[in-house]
Amino acid sequence: MQQPLQTATNRVYMRGDPDYQDHCYQYGSSSNEGIIQPAAIIYAANDDDVIKAINYAKTNKIAVAVRTGGHQYCGASSTFGNNIQLDLSKTYTDVQWENQDFTSVTVGISLSLGEFNAILGKKNRFVPHGQCSHVHLGGHVQSGGYGQLGRSFGLLADQVQKFRIITADGIKRWVRRGVSEDRDLFFAVLGGSPGNFGVLTHVTLKVYRDEDHPNSRGLRAQYLYSRDRLKRLLDVMVDMVDDNDFPGDYDYCVSVVSSCCLLLPSFILGMNSVDERMRRLHPELFGVDKQFLWPKTILVYAQWANLGGAQQQYNPEFFNKIKAAGGIPLLGVPVDDDVHKNMSELTTHWIWPNAREFDLPYIRRAGFTNSTTLRADGWTDWVSDRIDLIQSDAFNECKVAVQIQPYGGSNSQTFKHRLDNTSISWRDSNILCGLDCFHYPDAKAKAAAEQWQAGNDAEGVGHPNAKFCKEDRRLLSFSHDLDLDPVHKHYYDNDPAKYRRLCDIKRYWDPERVFTPNAFSVGGILNPVRTPNPTLIDDRQMVPKL
């Protein structure tokens, strides 16, 4: 490939350049070898650089992969072959408040969640968003934007009033909620698949005020891991989801992590990895960690959002159940419901401060359930036993990172937004469960992680006797598939018409498939040149497999 991609303002790294591999790196690199190898990486400085890259791709009949933070877990925010990577990590960082009471903001998608949260906090404002500080807004909002405030305020995408996007024709457009001519593109971009319909640059969001929630409370506690403690905390969660009328003010999340020490070089522990190397040598690309040591731990996050305002009285009964289940916390309670804390302050406590949980490759799973028989099916016992296999070192050289959170009930804002014009799926679910297994880089450890996840899949989902969900409901942002088209039913409500609509919108807005850089794309791959191993992909047309 020649160098016509270079402009006066962008930076370009070509395959073979000395620094190429460092700039190629993203969160999924160590777990998806061979598919995160673009022919060129373009750091765009402005709209003109973005449009030049799009036009170059159309002229040369190649594809563009878009990354803002690079946290797509199966590597779909990158590409391979002759295709190019468009990096927007620093391109759109502007913030503009749209009114005097700071309840509407237009923000560039290059900001990380940690940066955006801090900007809002200075105005005593907040929005629902995810818990990973280094994830950027662009991919996050297009994937839904799941996070700690999901029941009380909905998803980040539910707050979008309009967004700005550069489509495959090189035109900059504002796409507005509730406007008939924008309906299809609004639907597809929010929940379809990030980067598949154009280059998102800005979003305008509804913003919430601390003063409207003057009695809000929170609980953040860390406990030494034990299997029985975990089971008790999850039993509280099942009690919560069994009550379909449970108040919408409450959110509750249980996380489990294996022990970690980032103070020692990983080669001393026998787990030298590209992730550890990038953390040490290139924090400007990897991200800056703030926590370096922890034991096997259960983390509990809970909040009461005081949706009813000043006249609503707080009842500590639910938080007391959590505290009783958890027992004695480790190193006190950083956030306690004994006193009011502003919602904007609480959101800072829900954020994980590091770039990743462990500097290791992983095998990830995240899925939903709508089961009403979790107690009868013994789910809390089963999932506690599965997690304990890793925590008790039965699977050597593996580490677990788990996040389990309820989103359901008739009062959940995630559920109430189900009729919105977005393609975000599985809104009738009551629990989202992420089971991630990190492993040492050697083949034996990877096989152990795969074996553990295979057991979770076989016993947990997709059949009448499954412990967690009788269907296989997968979270798009935690996708573990490399080829979306054959498994689209797992990501899009098991609804052929919904996926067909996404394919039709894709065909209309991206007829040359400029934004189809890999097989995890709506409609699948048409041109075999866009895969690292063309013999494995046929010449299928863009017709969904229904």
Side-chain angles (χ1 to χ4, degrees):
M1 186 180 296
Q2 300 175 349
Q3 274 279 61
L5 286 166
Q6 191 76 57
T7 71
T9 52
N10 71 10
R11 290 184 293 134
V12 179
Y13 295 87
M14 307 295 293
R15 188 185 292 133
D17 286 352
D19 295 329
Y20 167 82
Q21 289 296 344
D22 292 337
H23 290 277
C24 187
Y25 175 84
Q26 54 184 263
Y27 193 100
S29 290
S30 60
S31 305
N32 299 281
E33 295 181 5
I35 66 170
I36 302 178
Q37 292 287 311
I41 304 156
I42 303 103
Y43 287 86
N46 49 45
D47 287 346
D48 290 342
D49 289 345
V50 171
I51 294 168
K52 182 178 178 66
I54 293 171
N55 290 336
Y56 179 88
K58 287 195 294 185
T59 299
N60 290 276
K61 300 187 184 305
I62 58 174
V64 177
V66 184
R67 80 179 178 198
T68 49
H71 279 72
Q72 213 290 337
Y73 299 121
C74 71
S77 52
S78 187
T79 188
F80 37 73
N82 293 327
N83 303 321
I84 56 177
Q85 172 84 75
L86 187 59
D87 185 285
L88 306 180
S89 57
K90 304 293 183 183
T91 313
Y92 301 105
T93 59
D94 49 313
V95 177
Q96 177 179 320
W97 291 99
E98 299 292 342
N99 54 19
Q100 292 185 349
D101 65 353
F102 304 108
T103 56
S104 179
V105 66
T106 297
V107 59
I109 51 77
S110 301
L111 291 173
S112 71
L113 298 186
E115 292 168 334
F116 184 47
N117 181 276
I119 290 168
L120 295 179
K122 290 178 181 178
K123 302 290 187 182
N124 293 317
R125 299 296 185 263
F126 65 96
V127 296
H129 61 66
Q131 289 149 286
C132 297
S133 59
H134 291 67
V135 167
H136 288 220
L137 284 169
H140 186 58
V141 71
Q142 291 179 80
S143 304
Y146 289 83
Q148 175 66 14
L149 280 62
R151 292 190 75 255
S152 50
F153 295 93
L155 309 180
L156 180 61
D158 297 333
Q159 319 311 317
V160 174
Q161 304 307 300
K162 62 180 180 179
F163 58 77
R164 183 176 182 269
I165 191 170
I166 303 175
T167 45
D169 53 13
I171 295 176
K172 295 169 278 188
R173 308 171 186 275
W174 279 101
V175 180
R176 300 149 295 176
R177 180 184 291 271
V179 175
S180 58
E181 59 264 35
D182 294 341
R183 183 173 176 81
D184 279 348
L185 198 53
F186 195 94
F187 171 84
V189 169
L190 298 181
S193 191
N196 274 204
F197 300 92
V199 180
L200 190 70
T201 69
H202 295 80
V203 292
T204 299
L205 300 167
K206 177 182 178 180
V207 177
Y208 297 89
R209 311 188 311 170
D210 280 347
E211 54 262 43
D212 294 330
H213 310 274
N215 299 319
S216 57
R217 308 296 174 103
L219 173 67
R220 179 182 168 213
Q222 180 177 357
Y223 302 96
L224 284 174
Y225 169 81
S226 79
R227 184 263 181 209
D228 292 341
R229 173 175 282 136
L230 173 61
K231 200 259 184 192
R232 292 195 302 269
L233 289 165
L234 293 179
D235 282 338
V236 173
M237 188 177 295
V238 171
D239 287 342
M240 178 182 179
V241 301
D242 278 350
D243 180 358
N244 191 53
D245 295 321
F246 201 84
D249 305 78
Y250 291 97
D251 287 279
Y252 176 40
C253 178
V254 176
S255 296
V256 184
V257 288
S258 298
S259 59
C260 182
C261 179
L262 298 179
L263 302 175
L264 296 174
S266 62
F267 70 84
I268 294 177
L269 304 175
M271 60 178 195
N272 193 30
S273 70
V274 63
D275 305 296
E276 193 268 347
R277 173 186 169 276
M278 291 297 294
R279 177 175 61 82
R280 286 190 296 106
L281 300 182
H282 294 287
E284 78 282 3
L285 298 174
F286 180 87
V288 178
D289 288 345
K290 296 182 180 179
Q291 191 168 338
F292 300 95
L293 178 70
W294 59 84
K296 296 177 183 178
T297 298
I298 301 172
L299 298 165
V300 168
Y301 309 93
Q303 94 206 355
W304 181 74
N306 181 210
L307 298 178
Q311 302 306 312
Q312 186 183 17
Q313 298 299 309
Y314 172 61
N315 183 341
E317 180 181 355
F318 179 63
F319 279 37
N320 287 340
K321 289 181 179 179
I322 297 172
K323 291 178 178 180
I328 300 174
L330 184 67
L331 302 177
V333 181
V335 180
D336 202 326
D337 66 316
D338 290 345
V339 295
H340 157 70
K341 283 192 182 296
N342 285 336
M343 287 296 301
S344 63
E345 181 183 355
L346 288 174
T347 60
T348 68
H349 289 284
W350 312 148
I351 294 177
W352 177 257
N354 288 10
R356 56 193 295 134
E357 296 87 341
F358 303 99
D359 295 342
L360 294 169
Y362 51 75
I363 310 294
R364 284 184 178 264
R365 295 290 187 273
F368 300 93
T369 184
N370 63 340
S371 174
T372 59
T373 61
L374 291 173
R375 186 178 307 283
D377 292 337
W379 171 70
T380 60
D381 266 317
W382 173 81
V383 74
S384 299
D385 287 341
R386 295 299 301 174
I387 293 167
D388 198 56
L389 286 174
I390 303 293
Q391 294 290 68
S392 65
D393 296 323
F395 282 68
N396 195 26
E397 298 186 341
C398 290
K399 293 180 177 291
V400 72
V402 171
Q403 188 171 340
I404 305 175
Q405 183 175 340
Y407 280 87
S410 62
N411 295 310
S412 163
Q413 288 297 320
T414 295
F415 174 71
K416 287 185 175 183
H417 280 278
R418 68 194 183 282
L419 300 180
D420 282 8
N421 182 41
T422 72
S423 49
I424 297 162
S425 299
W426 305 124
R427 286 187 183 263
D428 64 332
S429 300
N430 51 32
I431 290 180
L432 172 59
C433 178
L435 300 173
D436 301 336
C437 189
F438 291 76
H439 59 84
Y440 284 28
D442 60 272
K444 180 180 177 182
K446 181 179 181 181
E450 291 173 335
Q451 179 186 348
W452 184 73
Q453 290 290 21
N456 297 338
D457 293 343
E459 299 173 19
V461 298
H463 57 85
N465 296 318
K467 296 292 186 180
F468 182 58
C469 187
K470 313 310 178 188
E471 294 180 274
D472 187 352
R473 299 177 162 213
R474 303 178 191 175
L475 175 63
L476 187 69
S477 58
F478 274 65
S479 50
H480 61 270
D481 297 290
L482 299 179
D483 195 351
L484 177 61
D485 199 52
V487 294
H488 64 80
K489 67 178 183 179
H490 301 307
Y491 294 98
Y492 301 109
D493 287 332
N494 195 14
D495 183 352
K498 182 176 188 176
Y499 188 65
R500 186 183 298 112
R501 181 184 177 192
L502 286 169
C503 291
D504 289 343
I505 296 168
K506 169 75 170 175
R507 186 181 294 110
Y508 179 84
W509 285 103
D510 186 17
E512 298 177 69
R513 308 226 283 179
V514 174
F515 299 112
T516 302
N518 49 58
F520 199 81
S521 298
V522 169
I525 282 185
L526 174 66
N527 188 344
V529 78
R530 296 180 179 175
T531 173
N533 188 346
T535 62
L536 297 182
I537 302 292
D538 62 11
D539 242 343
R540 66 194 140 164
Q541 299 297 307
M542 196 176 78
V543 177
K545 295 173 180 172
L546 305 177

